[in-house]
């Protein structure tokens, strides 16, 4: 394997902690200290909802807690604007694995649900230069539909045994399997993440779990 199709948020870029805090603050305010039990429960509620999508989290939080959707949309938009100058950090090992891919003659490709402006701002702010970027809001079906993966395969004349799709949610590896590709599901430090809850033992054929991005290094080449 020498080419990776990367998911972005939660896989290449560690966007979740700041995103969860922004939505939690919009619903419950910022009075609680980070170590407070209520604060922890609030962040967990957001994380479980966000594991499906940011839009889903905003919709449910608004309805469940009687918070105007506009407040939540504005909070997340403000965070994306802040990321243009102060981007969320890279996931541990991302730079090392991307460099290994290029050293092996492969491509680093990104398929994300994030809008192109936000995605490009994060990449630019972090100094990342993937070889191609496909964004679902440009008119492509969202994962687990394999359309973005198939587009990248066709655009770069790639074959399945050259490729691996890496993401942090079951839909990422489901899309990989639907495209006939191998997939790696990232669960940092081997922990059960909200996005992967209930997925144990249910990964599609040809897909596997990793606890860190650097676990991929011995598969490149």
């Amino acid at each position: 394997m020498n080419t990776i199709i990367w998911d972005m948020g939660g896989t290449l870029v560690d966007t979740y902690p700041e995103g969860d805090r922004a939505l939690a603050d919009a619903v419950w305010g910022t009075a609680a200290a980070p170590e407070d039990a209520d604060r922890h429960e609030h962040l967990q509620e957001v994380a479980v909802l966000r594991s499906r999508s940011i839009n889903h989290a905003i919709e449910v939080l608004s309805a469940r807690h009687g918070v105007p959707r506009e407040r939540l949309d504005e909070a997340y938009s403000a965070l994306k604007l802040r990321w243009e100058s102060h981007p969320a950090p890279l996931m541990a090992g991302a730079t090392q694995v991307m460099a290994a891919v290029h050293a092996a003659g492969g491509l680093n490709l990104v398929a994300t649900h994030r809008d192109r402006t936000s995605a490009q701002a994060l990449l630019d702010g972090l100094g990342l230069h993937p070889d191609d970027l496909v964004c679902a809001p440009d008119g492509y079906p969202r994962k687990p539909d394999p359309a973005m993966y198939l587009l990248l395969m066709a655009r770069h004349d790639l074959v399945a045994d050259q490729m691996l799709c890496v993401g942090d949610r079951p839909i990422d590896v489901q899309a990989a399997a639907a495209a006939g590709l191998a997939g790696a599901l990232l669960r940092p430090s081997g922990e059960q993440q909200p996005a992967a809850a209930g997925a144990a033992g249910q990964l599609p054929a040809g897909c596997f779990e990793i606890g860190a991005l650097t676990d991929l290094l011995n598969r490149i080449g």
Side-chain angles (χ1 to χ4, degrees):
M1 179 274 296
N2 61 9
T3 285
I4 292 181
I5 300 180
W6 298 90
D7 177 53
M8 195 166 177
T11 303
L12 267 183
V13 186
D14 193 10
T15 54
Y16 292 158
E18 290 182 61
D20 292 351
R21 287 195 296 270
L23 294 181
D25 290 348
V27 176
W28 294 283
T30 58
E35 65 273 13
D36 287 353
D38 285 348
R39 177 66 166 174
H40 177 73
E41 289 181 7
H42 295 161
L43 290 172
Q44 280 296 106
E45 180 177 345
V46 175
V48 170
L49 296 171
R50 175 265 301 153
S51 70
R52 178 169 170 182
S53 72
I54 292 295
N55 186 62
H56 174 72
I58 288 173
E59 286 182 353
V60 174
L61 290 168
S62 175
R64 183 180 290 173
H65 299 285
V67 177
R69 182 187 171 112
E70 292 76 12
R71 184 194 302 177
L72 294 159
D73 284 332
E74 290 171 1
Y76 201 71
S77 293
L79 176 61
K80 290 196 291 185
L81 183 62
R82 185 161 71 249
W83 278 338
E84 292 183 12
S85 55
H86 297 86
L90 282 170
M91 293 292 284
T95 301
Q96 187 178 357
V97 176
M98 292 180 79
V101 166
H102 279 159
L107 300 174
N108 287 297
L109 311 171
V110 175
T112 179
H113 290 173
R114 188 172 298 274
D115 67 271
R116 182 167 294 273
T117 299
S118 172
Q120 195 61 58
L122 273 174
L123 293 171
D124 290 345
L126 291 165
L128 286 185
H129 304 288
D131 299 290
D132 203 350
L133 169 67
V134 175
C135 301
D138 286 344
Y140 305 104
R142 296 166 69 91
K143 307 166 196 172
D145 191 291
M148 290 191 288
Y149 293 169
L150 293 171
L151 173 66
L152 288 168
M153 288 180 70
R155 186 180 286 174
H156 296 280
D157 195 25
L158 299 168
V159 296
D161 62 4
Q162 298 174 324
M163 304 175 64
L164 176 68
C165 304
V166 182
D168 65 287
R169 295 187 290 174
I171 60 170
D172 296 310
V173 293
Q174 290 162 6
L181 303 173
L185 179 64
L186 174 64
R187 291 181 177 173
S189 302
E191 297 174 0
Q192 185 82 351
Q193 301 298 308
Q202 301 177 23
L203 294 181
C207 299
F208 56 93
E209 296 179 20
I210 55 173
L213 293 180
T214 50
D215 293 346
L216 299 172
L217 289 172
N218 63 359
R219 296 176 179 266
I220 298 170

